[in-house]
Every structure is written in C-alpha cells, then in structure tokens.
Amino acid sequence: MAHTDHQTMRRVLRREIAGTVGVLTDDHDFRAMRRYRSFTFDDHATYLRQLESVLRARAAQGTHTTLALFDLEDYAAYCADTGLDPEAPASRTRFTAELAATGATVPYDGRPLAELLPALVDEAVRQATWEYATTLLTRLGPCPTCGEDIGRAAFTRASSLLLRILDTAPPGDRHLVCTVSGPPDTLVSVLHGDQEPHGAIRLDEAEALEFTSVLALGLATRSPGGLVMRTSTAGTADRVYGWRLRGGALQPLTASEVFDAYCTDAESGEPIPPEPGVDYGEPPDLGDEESAPDHRH
C-alpha cells in the first residue's frame, strides 16, 4: 500500500515539472548537429516525428512543455564559455535550460510542429531584432547639445507616434510593418492589433516593444525607411496607407505612392496586379508630432 502511494505521489509530482525542449528547426542545423557523436539521429524528418510523439505523450500526461530554438553557434559558444563538453548530452540539457530563461520559446499547445516551428523562428527573429535595435539605441548616448539620452528620447517619441497611429486608424484589426534601412542591416518589424468587441485594440506586448524600438532607431538615426498600416474589417475593403521615414520624421505617402509600393515586385521592379478588395489611401493627420524631428536645436 505504501509503495502504491509513493508511485502515485511521484506521478503527481512529474505532472508538476515543466520541461523545455531545444529544437533544431531546419535541416541545415540538424546536419551540423550530427558532428557530435552523442547526437544519434540521422534524419531530420524522423527526428521531428519522434519529437512530436514525445510532446503529445507529455501533454496527455498533463505536463507542460516549452519549445526553444536550439542554435548551434550559440551552443558552441556556451560550451566554450562554461568549459562544458559539447559532446555530452548533459551539456545540451544545461544549454536548453538557459534558453528557457533567456532565449526564444513558444509553448507546446497541441498544434502540429509544422505550425509551431515557424512561430518559434518568428519569435527568435523578433527577439534578435529587439535586442539589436535596443543595443544601437543605447550606443547613441547623450545629445551633445542638451545632454538628453537620444535613444530614450527617441523611444518615448516612437511610443507616442505609435499610439497616435493606432488611435487615428479606422475601425478594424490593425497590421503594421515598419522598415528601417541600415547600415549595416535593414530591420523589419511587424505588429498585429486585434480589435475587441468594445473597440479596444489588443496588442502583443513583446511585439509592441520590438516595433517601437525599431521605429525609435529610425527616428534617432534619421535612417530611411517606412511604416505601413493595414486595417481589416469584415464585410468592407481593407484600407492601406503609410508614411515615409526620412530625416527623423514620418512623412505621409500619397495614395498613388502606396499603390505603387504594393503593386510593384520588390525584387524585379515589375508591376504586379493590385490585390482585390483593398483601398489604397492617404494616412490620417497625426498632428505636429508627425513631422517633428528629434534634437534639432
């Protein structure tokens, strides 16, 4: 009887233990991982099928599992910094535990890995973009004229602009894309906002933070770029409009400029047919803030 009670208690405790699985999301990383002799899988598709079986079994037992993006370069650097043997499975386990706290993760919710892995990659790109933009903003330092922290001031201004853009948008779900051109890299950030029945817009906090950071970087560095808004409401045509980012300010695009941008192939420059059910127009007035550059003394 006591032995049975102990088994029952252990089963209960196992359900209380959350787990994290580091996933090799693409075949290139999987092939690179095979250089470690202790990694015994030899086929990426089989690896993913077996992983999915384990995830389903854990979920059936009531155990929560988080998926983390396993990056080979980061793993090698982690082992070099900590003195761990990269061949040891325990080293991979410790690295995965670090990812649970600091890396890109998504919870396993029963969906197929074919759906979850793109979401995991998107989360990793979003986190990397936010970290990169934040680093560049921090390096800007204080304004030589007034002493104000340029990056912090730009973030505050970008937050205000984003609120104005969301508040002045027509009813419906919002989809925003902000692009800031390098050097050295072009950053692209996407923000989704779903309109709730009572009219409020629901935003993902991490997405909003990344989007604001990228916009702030464009404002602070006066980099070229753009910001496009698309609103969608059931039963009506989607509305698309936007702004050009120039000289630390947002400049409204004309309806024809928006149309040309959407109806031109970005790689070939060839015209493409306009999307049906979409109206291309001019953006609403954002007020004086729309064209006010930072730190012009």
Side-chain angles (χ1 to χ4, degrees):
M1 183 67 177
H3 177 69
T4 301
D5 288 343
H6 289 162
Q7 286 184 322
T8 301
M9 285 187 288
R10 283 195 291 269
R11 283 197 298 269
V12 171
L13 285 173
R14 277 196 291 269
R15 290 198 297 267
E16 298 291 327
I17 300 173
T20 303
V21 177
V23 185
L24 297 159
T25 59
D26 62 63
D27 193 57
H28 177 270
D29 282 349
F30 179 85
R31 290 197 304 269
M33 189 69 183
R34 292 187 61 200
R35 70 175 180 261
Y36 298 118
R37 294 186 303 275
S38 59
F39 185 75
T40 57
F41 288 94
D42 56 13
D43 178 75
H44 191 222
T46 301
Y47 159 80
L48 292 178
R49 284 197 300 270
Q50 294 297 324
L51 173 59
E52 194 151 25
S53 296
V54 171
L55 292 171
R56 286 198 299 265
R58 286 175 58 84
Q61 296 167 359
T63 303
H64 175 79
T65 309
T66 297
L67 304 180
L69 187 68
F70 196 100
D71 183 274
L72 266 295
E73 292 184 3
D74 290 346
Y75 174 63
Y78 173 80
C79 290
D81 291 343
T82 57
L84 294 174
D85 177 10
E87 278 284 0
S91 299
R92 294 196 288 273
T93 302
R94 286 184 57 176
F95 175 67
T96 300
E98 292 280 339
L99 293 178
T102 61
T105 62
V106 296
Y108 177 71
D109 56 11
R111 285 181 290 165
L113 285 182
E115 295 181 24
L116 282 173
L117 294 189
L120 178 58
V121 172
D122 287 346
E123 174 64 16
V125 172
R126 182 207 59 75
Q127 182 170 317
T129 301
W130 171 73
E131 291 175 351
Y132 182 66
T134 301
T135 298
L136 294 182
L137 284 171
T138 302
R139 289 177 181 173
L140 293 176
C143 172
T145 303
C146 69
E148 185 175 22
D149 187 285
I150 296 175
R152 187 177 296 114
F155 187 88
T156 300
R157 181 166 168 243
S159 300
S160 176
L161 274 171
L162 178 58
L163 288 176
R164 288 171 184 256
I165 290 169
L166 293 171
D167 289 343
T168 57
D173 296 337
R174 276 78 156 161
H175 179 85
L176 298 90
V177 179
C178 181
T179 304
V180 174
S181 299
D185 299 306
T186 295
L187 298 182
V188 179
S189 181
V190 177
L191 178 62
H192 304 274
D194 296 326
Q195 187 166 42
E196 298 179 334
H198 58 277
I201 299 298
R202 184 175 69 253
L203 300 174
D204 180 270
E205 184 176 344
E207 272 191 10
L209 182 61
E210 178 218 358
F211 190 92
T212 306
S213 299
V214 171
L215 177 57
L217 183 64
L219 296 172
T221 59
R222 294 173 167 80
S223 299
L227 194 157
V228 175
M229 159 79 85
R230 180 171 183 151
T231 59
S232 304
T233 305
T236 64
D238 287 6
R239 293 187 59 183
V240 178
Y241 53 82
W243 296 262
R244 177 186 298 106
L245 186 57
R246 290 291 185 276
L250 290 179
Q251 302 170 0
L253 295 171
T254 66
S256 61
E257 287 174 326
V258 176
F259 179 87
D260 289 343
Y262 265 77
C263 300
T264 302
D265 186 272
E267 294 185 359
S268 68
E270 295 295 319
I272 56 178
E275 188 178 349
V278 176
D279 289 338
Y280 305 95
E282 297 184 3
D285 183 14
L286 298 181
D288 294 338
E289 177 64 20
E290 182 178 88
S291 59
D294 282 334
H295 289 97
R296 176 175 293 177
H297 299 286

